[in-house]
Amino acid sequence: MSAVKYAELGAFLRSRRERIRPADVGLPAGPRRRVPGLRREEVAQLAGASVDYYNELERGAGSQPSEQMIAALARALRLSADERDYLYRLADRPVPVQGGPASHVHPGMLDLLGRMASTPAQVITDLHVTLVQNPLAVALLGDQSGYRGPRASFVHRWFTEPAARLLYPEADHEAQSRAFVADLRAAAARRDAKDPETGSMIRTLLGVSPEFAALWAEHEVAFRRDDRKRLLHPVIGLIEVNCLNLFSEDGRQRLLWFTPAVGTESAGLLELLSVVGTQEVSAAKRTAGSSPRQRG
């Protein structure tokens, strides 16, 4: 990156930070707020970066931010699609194609996600790539942010990695497989026929998973709009939930949220999940703080 781009990157981040009110991103205004918009430490917290690293970026210094960090900053600052692309170009990083882990999330979906503090919720793509999760979704489903390439899709992992199926009771695996394949066929049809991401994913799964190939040959088509799921949590055990979906206008992104299934003990279990999840996150932060970790 050139010095000019570093300086422009810092100025752009500062201008976007100053236009956001804390309430816009689910933060309390607090007393004695002397600066417009968010504080630097608040942006760093929202983006999962260290305060020192973010301060360096705004000063036009520091190391070149990674594609993952740019995506996190774009979400934290509620950037539009054009602003997000501009940020990538300032950082001399390729603008990611729509559908991958760094896809732009519409600010409206992020706003809704931020207002769902008491229920597990996340935004995924139509290929089941998780883009962003709230803390309760991480506690319920595990952290999905670390996957890259084809493995970023939960459907890909479902048919290629046995560990992915531990989230569901074995008795439910066949039904889940059918639902995933039918949903993928519907998503592929909605996308452009020449879409390389979808085509590559389908070809790979046809070649490595006989189960996927057999189900694909049945030509079932159905978007997953709402489901009743049984999920296995490693600490709490079996939780029955309703999984509801809100689709973006083009159908490529979905906001998922999970509510307790009526007639079960899941309401109490989800409340317990909030306690367990908080403890696990705190433990993870303590572990991260005890060892150096690169940011950006």
Side-chain angles (χ1 to χ4, degrees):
M1 288 177 61
S2 67
V4 172
K5 281 196 170 182
Y6 265 121
E8 178 59 27
L9 176 68
F12 182 66
L13 289 173
R14 184 166 56 254
S15 71
R16 300 305 89 181
R17 172 175 62 82
E18 291 176 349
R19 71 176 180 174
I20 299 177
R21 299 172 301 174
D24 294 337
V25 292
L27 295 174
R32 290 179 290 185
R33 183 174 287 271
R34 298 188 299 271
V35 296
L38 298 179
R39 299 186 177 100
R40 291 186 181 91
E41 58 266 26
E42 290 171 335
V43 176
Q45 175 189 347
L46 291 169
S50 71
V51 177
D52 289 343
Y53 178 73
Y54 182 75
N55 284 339
E56 287 182 347
L57 287 180
E58 277 208 8
R59 288 199 300 267
S63 59
Q64 181 187 20
S66 67
E67 294 172 46
Q68 292 75 29
M69 180 53 64
I70 298 169
L73 289 169
R75 292 165 190 164
L77 294 169
R78 299 298 194 264
L79 300 188
S80 68
D82 290 337
E83 291 170 332
R84 190 283 308 254
D85 292 354
Y86 178 66
L87 188 62
Y88 271 92
R89 293 186 176 101
L90 284 178
D92 279 341
R93 297 293 189 184
V95 177
V97 297
Q98 185 65 13
S103 291
H104 176 69
V105 183
H106 191 282
M109 279 198 168
L110 285 175
D111 181 59
L112 285 172
L113 183 71
R115 296 175 188 275
M116 293 180 169
S118 61
T119 189
Q122 61 184 19
V123 179
I124 69 170
T125 72
D126 55 345
L127 301 185
H128 293 260
V129 174
T130 301
L131 301 178
V132 61
Q133 299 173 283
N134 70 7
L136 278 179
V138 173
L140 178 64
L141 307 170
D143 187 352
Q144 306 291 312
S145 63
Y147 297 102
R148 298 290 178 264
R151 297 184 67 234
S153 166
F154 186 75
V155 173
H156 183 279
R157 298 198 304 277
W158 179 264
F159 288 103
T160 61
E161 301 178 23
R165 302 197 175 199
L166 298 177
L167 184 62
Y168 293 89
E170 187 174 357
D172 298 349
H173 288 182
E174 181 180 354
Q176 291 299 324
S177 293
R178 286 187 172 277
F180 279 133
V181 172
D183 185 86
L184 177 60
R185 185 178 285 279
R190 175 176 273 174
R191 290 191 176 208
D192 188 292
K194 297 180 181 180
D195 178 70
E197 185 183 17
T198 312
S200 174
M201 179 176 175
I202 293 170
R203 287 192 299 273
T204 298
L205 292 178
L206 287 172
V208 302
S209 172
E211 179 191 18
F212 178 86
L215 291 171
W216 189 257
E218 295 184 15
H219 294 273
E220 293 184 7
V221 183
F223 280 117
R224 301 189 78 162
R225 291 185 170 86
D226 52 75
D227 285 322
R228 181 157 172 163
K229 295 176 178 283
R230 300 195 304 160
L231 301 174
L232 287 173
H233 189 273
V235 175
I236 296 174
L238 186 68
I239 307 175
E240 292 190 56
V241 295
N242 296 313
C243 178
L244 307 173
N245 293 250
L246 175 66
F247 286 69
S248 63
E249 186 175 353
D250 63 2
R252 289 203 173 198
Q253 292 184 9
R254 309 170 190 183
L255 173 63
L256 309 183
W257 69 99
F258 301 85
T259 61
V262 176
T264 71
E265 299 178 352
S266 295
L269 293 175
L270 286 178
E271 289 181 5
L272 179 59
L273 179 71
S274 66
V275 177
V276 172
T278 300
Q279 292 174 344
E280 289 179 345
V281 169
S282 297
K285 287 183 176 178
R286 288 195 299 271
T287 301
S290 65
S291 59
R293 184 169 67 176
Q294 182 178 357
R295 288 291 189 181

